[in-house]
Amino acid sequence: MFGSLPVREGHGSQSESSIAKARTSETNLWSVLWQDFQIIFKRDPAAHHWLEVVCCYPGLHALAIHRLSHYLWQRHVAFVPRLLSHFARFLTGIEIHPGATIGKGVFIDHGMGVVIGETAIIGDDCLIYQNVTLGGTGKESGKRHPTLGHSVIVGAGAKVLGNICIGSHVRIGAGSIVLGNVPHDCTVVGVPGRIISRTGPFCPLEHGKLPDVEGEVIRTLLDRIEKLEQKIQKLS
């Protein structure tokens, strides 16, 4: 895919090592792209045919372009990785900085408005919905974007901000804003995000069954007010 590397005279062993590394990287790249393709059929019941997935899934397109731009970014190629990232944003509505590290089998569903920052790290088998931001909180340098573990689900419109760690098998509810670390096997909802349950591995499509914490509190308060009103009426 990336052609053969030139062999310089007098540096045979070093050049052969470079060629071997390049071929290994190319093989790994195709392997990861294949897993990105396969995971769609497992995660999206609307995916019926391979041609439909190849042509009509912007999340797959954005990841494929990112894999290439990240490959070039790691090799300190100037300008081209950012240009590819910009082209992917124009084509898919998904903005992924070429410096971001994304694991295998990641599925960006729908994807419009997704933003993934330069130092973000995403583990394997994560599921990300539209309008998600994995961003920073200011102009700090160094690691400034979140790290997601494996099998994390980030609901539509959720914002995960800053140099924080999200454990594996974590669910982040739609519209939540997460500003702190989250341990493994938790469910987070709200603004700011709060841990509302600690459970084991779950079905990745159960994110719609997240409990309504605010609604439960409001119902409890209404019941309490009603009981107090009844007591006041009896006293009067």
Side-chain angles (χ1 to χ4, degrees), residues 66-223:
H66 171 73
R67 303 294 185 193
L68 175 58
S69 65
H70 184 66
Y71 177 92
L72 298 174
W73 178 270
Q74 288 181 311
R75 283 145 186 82
H76 308 290
V77 177
F79 179 66
V80 177
R82 292 302 303 269
L83 182 62
L84 288 172
S85 174
H86 187 70
F87 172 73
R89 179 187 180 189
F90 173 78
L91 180 68
T92 66
I94 300 170
E95 181 175 348
I96 308 176
H97 193 283
T101 302
I102 300 180
K104 300 174 291 185
V106 173
F107 179 29
I108 301 177
D109 196 5
H110 300 294
M112 180 62 70
V114 167
V115 177
I116 300 175
E118 176 185 5
T119 61
I121 299 174
I122 301 175
D124 299 339
D125 301 319
C126 290
L127 177 58
I128 298 174
Y129 286 88
Q130 65 271 18
N131 289 318
V132 165
T133 299
L134 305 180
T137 56
K139 294 184 178 180
E140 65 274 15
S141 59
K143 182 73 169 71
R144 59 192 184 278
H145 299 105
T147 297
L148 273 58
H150 303 307
S151 301
V152 174
I153 299 174
V154 188
K159 314 298 177 186
V160 186
L161 306 176
N163 181 20
I164 61 177
C165 293
I166 308 298
S168 298
H169 302 286
V170 167
R171 290 186 298 178
I172 299 175
S176 300
I177 299 179
V178 183
L179 302 173
N181 296 331
V182 180
H184 302 302
D185 304 320
C186 290
T187 299
V188 179
V189 299
V191 180
R194 300 181 303 280
I195 298 174
I196 60 170
S197 69
R198 299 174 184 268
T199 58
F202 47 83
C203 171
L205 296 180
E206 290 181 348
H207 61 276
K209 298 181 181 179
L210 296 176
D212 184 2
V213 179
E214 288 81 3
E216 292 176 1
V217 172
I218 292 173
R219 284 192 293 270
T220 301
L221 289 174
L222 290 175
D223 291 340

